[in-house]
Amino acid sequence: MNVIKKLVGAMAVVAVLLAFSCCSETKPIKALVVSGQNNHNWQVSHKVLKLILDNSGMFQTDIVLTPAKGGDMNEFKPEFDKYDVVVLDYNGDRWSAETDSAFLQYVRNGGGVVVYHAADNAFADWDEFNRIIALGGWEGRNEKHGPYCYWENGELVLDETPGNGGSHGQQREYAMHCRNAEHPITKGLPDNWMHGKDEMYDSMRGPANIKDLLYSGKAEKETGGSGKEEPLVFTVDYGKARIFHIMLGHCGPTAEDNPAMQCAGFQTLLLRGAEWAATGKVTQSLPADFPTDKSISLRKEYTVVKKW
Ligand code: ZN
């Protein structure tokens, strides 16, 4: 066989392999971002969430917006069941009873949920929602909604002392501390890394049915925090559902002035948490620009290192 024939043969093999890899590619994960009311800049955050998800090449994301505050919630009827993961970016008027029960059915059937930042402020008096988020803040939350939950001496402490739920100090860059390096979401990520300028939620309360605490952070008293090590990223123990709760990501005034969401660490956790919530697995590797224990890493544009 001459050299040209060998080359042609090799190219044919490569072509077959490429065709195979193309056709056997996994389908995109279907995500739904729920937004439309928030005490935060939801007009920017919901679009940024979609950009982060879709730019990964793994997700195909739809957005559903509620009516404005005071509007007719009967018009808001998302088809949760069509999605692999629902990303909550919503803190506003209570949904209709029909939509409440459609959401509960989706979650109870083993649906995937991402609870993002102030979504854990929502629906303080909806008990079942509080069990879906495990911990929440503000909107009248206090000891009646559950204990204050923090991390101390290697374990979660449930503090029944009366008080309001939900607070944060000044926005700042802060260190993230891994508390479970074996979970699919955290596996292979550095134990400690610096997060871009953000709020750090503290004094959160609720049923505290945390399944796996993934990251905590120290809410320094000097910057107005609780002085405790606060649970910031975790999964929730709720039947068959896979729920990923990330308290990070306070949205800035514009997509480009938005360090908490531009943080490569935040984006990585969002993507890994959303993949896990949707499928139970994480197939993503550690991005080259992941922050270190010394320095933050912000992405100027919402494009990520593509694996797919
Ligand atoms: Zn915020």
Side-chain angles (χ1 to χ4, degrees):
M1 200 189 281
N2 66 32
V3 176
I4 298 214
K5 265 190 173 169
K6 271 190 188 170
L7 202 59
V8 169
M11 283 168 75
V13 169
V14 169
V16 167
L17 286 174
L18 280 176
F20 181 78
S21 72
C22 151
C23 300
S24 66
E25 218 171 65
T26 40
K27 284 193 287 184
I29 296 169
K30 294 197 65 165
L32 179 68
V33 173
V34 176
S35 193
Q37 290 183 37
N38 209 307
N39 59 327
H40 284 69
N41 189 4
W42 65 266
Q43 291 89 342
V44 168
S45 63
H46 78 278
K47 290 183 186 155
V48 169
L49 291 168
K50 175 175 162 63
L51 281 172
I52 296 169
L53 291 167
D54 287 354
N55 286 347
S56 72
M58 298 179 60
F59 295 87
Q60 204 170 63
T61 307
D62 290 339
I63 286 167
V64 63
L65 302 180
T66 62
K69 195 167 178 56
D72 181 5
M73 275 296 162
N74 290 316
E75 292 169 11
F76 176 66
K77 291 190 279 190
E79 293 182 273
F80 298 111
D81 287 338
K82 286 195 167 171
Y83 295 91
D84 303 309
V85 58
V86 172
V87 180
L88 297 176
D89 177 29
Y90 182 80
N91 176 24
D93 289 351
R94 185 71 183 266
W95 300 334
S96 69
E98 189 189 339
T99 296
D100 280 4
S101 65
F103 180 65
L104 287 184
Q105 193 183 6
Y106 165 80
V107 180
R108 284 173 179 154
N109 286 343
V113 181
V114 173
V115 181
Y116 153 72
H117 197 59
D120 66 18
N121 296 194
F123 306 139
D125 292 323
W126 182 6
D127 290 343
E128 214 52 36
F129 184 78
N130 283 327
R131 277 189 276 276
I132 287 168
I133 62 174
L135 291 176
W138 297 274
E139 305 294 328
R141 282 181 173 84
N142 58 30
E143 67 279 1
K144 291 190 194 106
H145 296 78
Y148 166 31
C149 177
Y150 54 87
W151 179 262
E152 194 172 69
N153 299 326
E155 59 180 16
L156 282 169
V157 176
L158 301 181
D159 184 343
E160 306 280 352
T161 312
N164 288 334
S167 182
H168 62 76
Q170 296 159 23
Q171 291 186 32
R172 61 193 173 89
E173 294 168 6
Y174 52 79
M176 298 291 289
H177 304 138
C178 188
R179 300 299 170 195
N180 181 343
E182 293 305 310
H183 194 280
I185 295 171
T186 52
K187 205 166 175 113
L189 302 185
D191 278 350
N192 300 300
W193 51 272
M194 289 300 295
H195 177 41
K197 188 176 176 188
D198 199 348
E199 293 168 343
M200 183 189 287
Y201 281 5
D202 69 49
S203 310
M204 302 294 274
R205 288 178 178 268
N209 47 326
I210 291 174
K211 191 170 196 179
D212 289 302
L213 176 62
L214 304 179
Y215 284 100
S216 63
K218 182 80 187 286
E220 305 285 358
K221 278 209 158 143
E222 299 72 48
T223 48
S226 61
K228 301 286 190 193
E229 188 78 20
E230 298 286 341
L232 300 175
V233 182
F234 50 84
T235 66
V236 178
D237 189 3
Y238 190 86
K240 289 189 286 180
R242 282 187 299 267
I243 301 167
F244 174 69
H245 187 155
I246 180 163
M247 294 187 184
L248 315 184
H250 179 86
C251 189
T254 65
E256 294 74 30
D257 179 11
N258 192 11
M261 299 185 87
Q262 287 171 294
C263 171
F266 169 80
Q267 294 188 17
T268 301
L269 282 186
L270 179 77
L271 289 170
R272 292 176 75 116
E275 186 187 5
W276 175 82
T279 69
K281 292 183 208 142
V282 174
T283 58
Q284 305 162 60
S285 47
L286 176 69
D289 65 344
F290 198 86
T292 67
D293 60 347
K294 307 244 172 359
S295 57
I296 62 165
S297 169
L298 303 188
R299 290 173 176 163
K300 298 239 178 299
E301 292 171 2
Y302 294 95
T303 49
V304 298
V305 184
K306 282 194 182 179
K307 177 174 183 274
W308 305 92

